[in-house]
Amino acid sequence: MNTSNDSPILVTGAAGDIGAIGRNVTAMLLAKGHKVRALVRREDERAESLRKLGAEVVVGDLTDLRSVHRAIEGCKRIYFGMSISAAYLEATANVAAAARHHGVEVIVNMSQMTVSQMSITETTDSPQHKLHWLAEQVLAWSGLPVVNVRPTVFIEGFFLRLGAMGVRDNDELALPLGNAKTSPIAAYDVARVVATILDNPAPHIGQIYNLTGPESVDMEKHARAFSEALGRTIRYRDVPVAPWTEKLREFGVPPHLIGHLAVMADLHAQGRYDRTTDDVFKLTGQKPMSTGEFVKLHAAEFTRV
């Protein structure tokens, strides 16, 4: 499988947002000499920057079967990832149907580690977790060659998007995560795994990879990593979930996403993210970045101007 680069590799969600797995996967595959077809929702500066990297950019919507069909046509390998959405299962079914029609050789599916603890009778209260679990079932039923990638939680989510303001303005990591241990992983490291699999998928077909950061530690230790990286004291403050989610509503965060984040916060407090694996190192030969390394990389976003 790794001898032919004639067919482009389809990367969904390539424009990216926080974390930008799709964008990083696109750049990494291009650097390995592959052709990449980058699927984006709209024409904007992010789409143009993908073209400058060398990608073929197509505009489409994963919830529209016709545009998914057009995006997959001519591709043999697919990275399927989508932002948190109530339409996640519909998008998965569209990709599976079109991929079967076109006879693809692999789909690398971005899932979530909580799925490993779910079943018909065991689930969480997160609407998104349930969609991830059902999406894996749909892909299994499809008979397609699939590789499931299950990260714990992205460090970009709680620590950057939701935590940066408190660190920047008040020198505190104010999050509703309790005091249990957690092992967040940088999206860049997840992208390295995905690119490695897509470069030579044959050994990975049918596998599930659980991805974590390099260690699982409590929030006080994560705060100390912030302090060391930024050169000033950052304290962790555990905040109640209810007022925190109310603040998200005031900021206009969609209800589906709020429901997911609230459950994730509760699961953190219960210790459900206290997990570590060495799958990143086994697949890529490099350890995932630590909290301190991540904070140093994004120091500007945690520092007052």
mmCIF file with all atom_site columns, all heavy atoms in Angstrom, residues 93-109:
data_model
loop_
_atom_site.group_PDB
_atom_site.id
_atom_site.type_symbol
_atom_site.label_atom_id
_atom_site.label_alt_id
_atom_site.label_comp_id
_atom_site.label_asym_id
_atom_site.label_entity_id
_atom_site.label_seq_id
_atom_site.pdbx_PDB_ins_code
_atom_site.Cartn_x
_atom_site.Cartn_y
_atom_site.Cartn_z
_atom_site.occupancy
_atom_site.B_iso_or_equiv
_atom_site.pdbx_formal_charge
_atom_site.auth_seq_id
_atom_site.auth_comp_id
_atom_site.auth_asym_id
_atom_site.auth_atom_id
_atom_site.pdbx_PDB_model_num
ATOM 1   N N   . ALA A 1 93  ? -22.185 8.178  8.396  1.00 0.00 ? 93  ALA A N   1
ATOM 2   C CA  . ALA A 1 93  ? -22.902 7.293  7.479  1.00 0.00 ? 93  ALA A CA  1
ATOM 3   C C   . ALA A 1 93  ? -22.677 7.707  6.027  1.00 0.00 ? 93  ALA A C   1
ATOM 4   O O   . ALA A 1 93  ? -22.509 6.847  5.144  1.00 0.00 ? 93  ALA A O   1
ATOM 5   C CB  . ALA A 1 93  ? -24.396 7.292  7.807  1.00 0.00 ? 93  ALA A CB  1
ATOM 6   N N   . ASN A 1 94  ? -22.647 9.007  5.763  1.00 0.00 ? 94  ASN A N   1
ATOM 7   C CA  . ASN A 1 94  ? -22.379 9.488  4.403  1.00 0.00 ? 94  ASN A CA  1
ATOM 8   C C   . ASN A 1 94  ? -20.994 9.058  3.928  1.00 0.00 ? 94  ASN A C   1
ATOM 9   O O   . ASN A 1 94  ? -20.820 8.587  2.797  1.00 0.00 ? 94  ASN A O   1
ATOM 10  C CB  . ASN A 1 94  ? -22.474 11.018 4.362  1.00 0.00 ? 94  ASN A CB  1
ATOM 11  C CG  . ASN A 1 94  ? -23.892 11.532 4.358  1.00 0.00 ? 94  ASN A CG  1
ATOM 12  O OD1 . ASN A 1 94  ? -24.835 10.789 4.074  1.00 0.00 ? 94  ASN A OD1 1
ATOM 13  N ND2 . ASN A 1 94  ? -24.063 12.796 4.686  1.00 0.00 ? 94  ASN A ND2 1
ATOM 14  N N   . VAL A 1 95  ? -20.003 9.224  4.802  1.00 0.00 ? 95  VAL A N   1
ATOM 15  C CA  . VAL A 1 95  ? -18.632 8.847  4.440  1.00 0.00 ? 95  VAL A CA  1
ATOM 16  C C   . VAL A 1 95  ? -18.540 7.342  4.213  1.00 0.00 ? 95  VAL A C   1
ATOM 17  O O   . VAL A 1 95  ? -17.920 6.879  3.249  1.00 0.00 ? 95  VAL A O   1
ATOM 18  C CB  . VAL A 1 95  ? -17.643 9.308  5.528  1.00 0.00 ? 95  VAL A CB  1
ATOM 19  C CG1 . VAL A 1 95  ? -16.258 8.708  5.294  1.00 0.00 ? 95  VAL A CG1 1
ATOM 20  C CG2 . VAL A 1 95  ? -17.550 10.831 5.552  1.00 0.00 ? 95  VAL A CG2 1
ATOM 21  N N   . ALA A 1 96  ? -19.176 6.560  5.093  1.00 0.00 ? 96  ALA A N   1
ATOM 22  C CA  . ALA A 1 96  ? -19.122 5.099  4.947  1.00 0.00 ? 96  ALA A CA  1
ATOM 23  C C   . ALA A 1 96  ? -19.767 4.654  3.645  1.00 0.00 ? 96  ALA A C   1
ATOM 24  O O   . ALA A 1 96  ? -19.220 3.804  2.925  1.00 0.00 ? 96  ALA A O   1
ATOM 25  C CB  . ALA A 1 96  ? -19.802 4.431  6.142  1.00 0.00 ? 96  ALA A CB  1
ATOM 26  N N   . ALA A 1 97  ? -20.931 5.223  3.323  1.00 0.00 ? 97  ALA A N   1
ATOM 27  C CA  . ALA A 1 97  ? -21.633 4.831  2.098  1.00 0.00 ? 97  ALA A CA  1
ATOM 28  C C   . ALA A 1 97  ? -20.826 5.182  0.858  1.00 0.00 ? 97  ALA A C   1
ATOM 29  O O   . ALA A 1 97  ? -20.677 4.364  -0.063 1.00 0.00 ? 97  ALA A O   1
ATOM 30  C CB  . ALA A 1 97  ? -23.007 5.510  2.052  1.00 0.00 ? 97  ALA A CB  1
ATOM 31  N N   . ALA A 1 98  ? -20.281 6.395  0.830  1.00 0.00 ? 98  ALA A N   1
ATOM 32  C CA  . ALA A 1 98  ? -19.495 6.814  -0.335 1.00 0.00 ? 98  ALA A CA  1
ATOM 33  C C   . ALA A 1 98  ? -18.185 6.043  -0.422 1.00 0.00 ? 98  ALA A C   1
ATOM 34  O O   . ALA A 1 98  ? -17.732 5.683  -1.519 1.00 0.00 ? 98  ALA A O   1
ATOM 35  C CB  . ALA A 1 98  ? -19.227 8.316  -0.265 1.00 0.00 ? 98  ALA A CB  1
ATOM 36  N N   . ALA A 1 99  ? -17.587 5.750  0.716  1.00 0.00 ? 99  ALA A N   1
ATOM 37  C CA  . ALA A 1 99  ? -16.325 5.005  0.717  1.00 0.00 ? 99  ALA A CA  1
ATOM 38  C C   . ALA A 1 99  ? -16.526 3.582  0.202  1.00 0.00 ? 99  ALA A C   1
ATOM 39  O O   . ALA A 1 99  ? -15.687 3.051  -0.537 1.00 0.00 ? 99  ALA A O   1
ATOM 40  C CB  . ALA A 1 99  ? -15.733 4.986  2.122  1.00 0.00 ? 99  ALA A CB  1
ATOM 41  N N   . ARG A 1 100 ? -17.634 2.950  0.573  1.00 0.00 ? 100 ARG A N   1
ATOM 42  C CA  . ARG A 1 100 ? -17.944 1.612  0.036  1.00 0.00 ? 100 ARG A CA  1
ATOM 43  C C   . ARG A 1 100 ? -18.137 1.668  -1.465 1.00 0.00 ? 100 ARG A C   1
ATOM 44  O O   . ARG A 1 100 ? -17.670 0.809  -2.209 1.00 0.00 ? 100 ARG A O   1
ATOM 45  C CB  . ARG A 1 100 ? -19.210 1.058  0.705  1.00 0.00 ? 100 ARG A CB  1
ATOM 46  C CG  . ARG A 1 100 ? -18.956 0.345  2.021  1.00 0.00 ? 100 ARG A CG  1
ATOM 47  C CD  . ARG A 1 100 ? -20.250 -0.177 2.607  1.00 0.00 ? 100 ARG A CD  1
ATOM 48  N NE  . ARG A 1 100 ? -20.905 -1.138 1.729  1.00 0.00 ? 100 ARG A NE  1
ATOM 49  C CZ  . ARG A 1 100 ? -20.715 -2.462 1.771  1.00 0.00 ? 100 ARG A CZ  1
ATOM 50  N NH1 . ARG A 1 100 ? -19.874 -2.975 2.666  1.00 0.00 ? 100 ARG A NH1 1
ATOM 51  N NH2 . ARG A 1 100 ? -21.360 -3.267 0.957  1.00 0.00 ? 100 ARG A NH2 1
ATOM 52  N N   . HIS A 1 101 ? -18.854 2.691  -1.913 1.00 0.00 ? 101 HIS A N   1
ATOM 53  C CA  . HIS A 1 101 ? -19.118 2.847  -3.349 1.00 0.00 ? 101 HIS A CA  1
ATOM 54  C C   . HIS A 1 101 ? -17.812 2.966  -4.134 1.00 0.00 ? 101 HIS A C   1
ATOM 55  O O   . HIS A 1 101 ? -17.673 2.386  -5.225 1.00 0.00 ? 101 HIS A O   1
ATOM 56  C CB  . HIS A 1 101 ? -19.985 4.083  -3.569 1.00 0.00 ? 101 HIS A CB  1
ATOM 57  C CG  . HIS A 1 101 ? -20.226 4.404  -5.012 1.00 0.00 ? 101 HIS A CG  1
ATOM 58  N ND1 . HIS A 1 101 ? -21.153 3.725  -5.787 1.00 0.00 ? 101 HIS A ND1 1
ATOM 59  C CD2 . HIS A 1 101 ? -19.640 5.320  -5.836 1.00 0.00 ? 101 HIS A CD2 1
ATOM 60  C CE1 . HIS A 1 101 ? -21.129 4.211  -7.023 1.00 0.00 ? 101 HIS A CE1 1
ATOM 61  N NE2 . HIS A 1 101 ? -20.226 5.181  -7.074 1.00 0.00 ? 101 HIS A NE2 1
ATOM 62  N N   . HIS A 1 102 ? -16.854 3.681  -3.578 1.00 0.00 ? 102 HIS A N   1
ATOM 63  C CA  . HIS A 1 102 ? -15.598 3.938  -4.287 1.00 0.00 ? 102 HIS A CA  1
ATOM 64  C C   . HIS A 1 102 ? -14.510 2.912  -3.967 1.00 0.00 ? 102 HIS A C   1
ATOM 65  O O   . HIS A 1 102 ? -13.430 2.970  -4.566 1.00 0.00 ? 102 HIS A O   1
ATOM 66  C CB  . HIS A 1 102 ? -15.096 5.352  -3.973 1.00 0.00 ? 102 HIS A CB  1
ATOM 67  C CG  . HIS A 1 102 ? -15.938 6.437  -4.575 1.00 0.00 ? 102 HIS A CG  1
ATOM 68  N ND1 . HIS A 1 102 ? -16.021 6.652  -5.929 1.00 0.00 ? 102 HIS A ND1 1
ATOM 69  C CD2 . HIS A 1 102 ? -16.757 7.358  -3.997 1.00 0.00 ? 102 HIS A CD2 1
ATOM 70  C CE1 . HIS A 1 102 ? -16.839 7.664  -6.170 1.00 0.00 ? 102 HIS A CE1 1
ATOM 71  N NE2 . HIS A 1 102 ? -17.299 8.116  -5.016 1.00 0.00 ? 102 HIS A NE2 1
ATOM 72  N N   . GLY A 1 103 ? -14.769 1.993  -3.060 1.00 0.00 ? 103 GLY A N   1
ATOM 73  C CA  . GLY A 1 103 ? -13.806 0.938  -2.770 1.00 0.00 ? 103 GLY A CA  1
ATOM 74  C C   . GLY A 1 103 ? -12.508 1.427  -2.162 1.00 0.00 ? 103 GLY A C   1
ATOM 75  O O   . GLY A 1 103 ? -11.422 1.036  -2.607 1.00 0.00 ? 103 GLY A O   1
ATOM 76  N N   . VAL A 1 104 ? -12.601 2.251  -1.129 1.00 0.00 ? 104 VAL A N   1
ATOM 77  C CA  . VAL A 1 104 ? -11.382 2.787  -0.519 1.00 0.00 ? 104 VAL A CA  1
ATOM 78  C C   . VAL A 1 104 ? -10.618 1.691  0.224  1.00 0.00 ? 104 VAL A C   1
ATOM 79  O O   . VAL A 1 104 ? -11.186 0.676  0.620  1.00 0.00 ? 104 VAL A O   1
ATOM 80  C CB  . VAL A 1 104 ? -11.694 3.962  0.439  1.00 0.00 ? 104 VAL A CB  1
ATOM 81  C CG1 . VAL A 1 104 ? -12.446 5.060  -0.277 1.00 0.00 ? 104 VAL A CG1 1
ATOM 82  C CG2 . VAL A 1 104 ? -12.447 3.491  1.671  1.00 0.00 ? 104 VAL A CG2 1
ATOM 83  N N   . GLU A 1 105 ? -9.331  1.914  0.418  1.00 0.00 ? 105 GLU A N   1
ATOM 84  C CA  . GLU A 1 105 ? -8.490  0.902  1.064  1.00 0.00 ? 105 GLU A CA  1
ATOM 85  C C   . GLU A 1 105 ? -8.319  1.135  2.567  1.00 0.00 ? 105 GLU A C   1
ATOM 86  O O   . GLU A 1 105 ? -7.889  0.244  3.290  1.00 0.00 ? 105 GLU A O   1
ATOM 87  C CB  . GLU A 1 105 ? -7.124  0.822  0.387  1.00 0.00 ? 105 GLU A CB  1
ATOM 88  C CG  . GLU A 1 105 ? -6.269  2.064  0.517  1.00 0.00 ? 105 GLU A CG  1
ATOM 89  C CD  . GLU A 1 105 ? -4.978  1.971  -0.293 1.00 0.00 ? 105 GLU A CD  1
ATOM 90  O OE1 . GLU A 1 105 ? -4.986  1.302  -1.357 1.00 0.00 ? 105 GLU A OE1 1
ATOM 91  O OE2 . GLU A 1 105 ? -3.968  2.574  0.130  1.00 0.00 ? 105 GLU A OE2 1
ATOM 92  N N   . VAL A 1 106 ? -8.661  2.330  3.060  1.00 0.00 ? 106 VAL A N   1
ATOM 93  C CA  . VAL A 1 106 ? -8.601  2.562  4.506  1.00 0.00 ? 106 VAL A CA  1
ATOM 94  C C   . VAL A 1 106 ? -9.348  3.848  4.871  1.00 0.00 ? 106 VAL A C   1
ATOM 95  O O   . VAL A 1 106 ? -9.339  4.820  4.109  1.00 0.00 ? 106 VAL A O   1
ATOM 96  C CB  . VAL A 1 106 ? -7.149  2.656  5.021  1.00 0.00 ? 106 VAL A CB  1
ATOM 97  C CG1 . VAL A 1 106 ? -6.442  3.898  4.501  1.00 0.00 ? 106 VAL A CG1 1
ATOM 98  C CG2 . VAL A 1 106 ? -7.099  2.621  6.549  1.00 0.00 ? 106 VAL A CG2 1
ATOM 99  N N   . ILE A 1 107 ? -10.000 3.820  6.014  1.00 0.00 ? 107 ILE A N   1
ATOM 100 C CA  . ILE A 1 107 ? -10.520 5.025  6.664  1.00 0.00 ? 107 ILE A CA  1
ATOM 101 C C   . ILE A 1 107 ? -9.887  5.098  8.046  1.00 0.00 ? 107 ILE A C   1
ATOM 102 O O   . ILE A 1 107 ? -9.995  4.152  8.836  1.00 0.00 ? 107 ILE A O   1
ATOM 103 C CB  . ILE A 1 107 ? -12.054 5.001  6.819  1.00 0.00 ? 107 ILE A CB  1
ATOM 104 C CG1 . ILE A 1 107 ? -12.746 5.016  5.467  1.00 0.00 ? 107 ILE A CG1 1
ATOM 105 C CG2 . ILE A 1 107 ? -12.522 6.194  7.668  1.00 0.00 ? 107 ILE A CG2 1
ATOM 106 C CD1 . ILE A 1 107 ? -14.270 4.960  5.567  1.00 0.00 ? 107 ILE A CD1 1
ATOM 107 N N   . VAL A 1 108 ? -9.210  6.183  8.332  1.00 0.00 ? 108 VAL A N   1
ATOM 108 C CA  . VAL A 1 108 ? -8.726  6.429  9.685  1.00 0.00 ? 108 VAL A CA  1
ATOM 109 C C   . VAL A 1 108 ? -9.775  7.302  10.368 1.00 0.00 ? 108 VAL A C   1
ATOM 110 O O   . VAL A 1 108 ? -9.995  8.452  9.982  1.00 0.00 ? 108 VAL A O   1
ATOM 111 C CB  . VAL A 1 108 ? -7.348  7.111  9.687  1.00 0.00 ? 108 VAL A CB  1
ATOM 112 C CG1 . VAL A 1 108 ? -6.896  7.369  11.128 1.00 0.00 ? 108 VAL A CG1 1
ATOM 113 C CG2 . VAL A 1 108 ? -6.327  6.248  8.962  1.00 0.00 ? 108 VAL A CG2 1
ATOM 114 N N   . ASN A 1 109 ? -10.436 6.746  11.354 1.00 0.00 ? 109 ASN A N   1
ATOM 115 C CA  . ASN A 1 109 ? -11.563 7.391  12.010 1.00 0.00 ? 109 ASN A CA  1
ATOM 116 C C   . ASN A 1 109 ? -11.139 8.001  13.335 1.00 0.00 ? 109 ASN A C   1
ATOM 117 O O   . ASN A 1 109 ? -10.607 7.323  14.204 1.00 0.00 ? 109 ASN A O   1
ATOM 118 C CB  . ASN A 1 109 ? -12.665 6.350  12.251 1.00 0.00 ? 109 ASN A CB  1
ATOM 119 C CG  . ASN A 1 109 ? -13.816 6.914  13.072 1.00 0.00 ? 109 ASN A CG  1
ATOM 120 O OD1 . ASN A 1 109 ? -14.339 7.976  12.764 1.00 0.00 ? 109 ASN A OD1 1
ATOM 121 N ND2 . ASN A 1 109 ? -14.212 6.210  14.129 1.00 0.00 ? 109 ASN A ND2 1
#
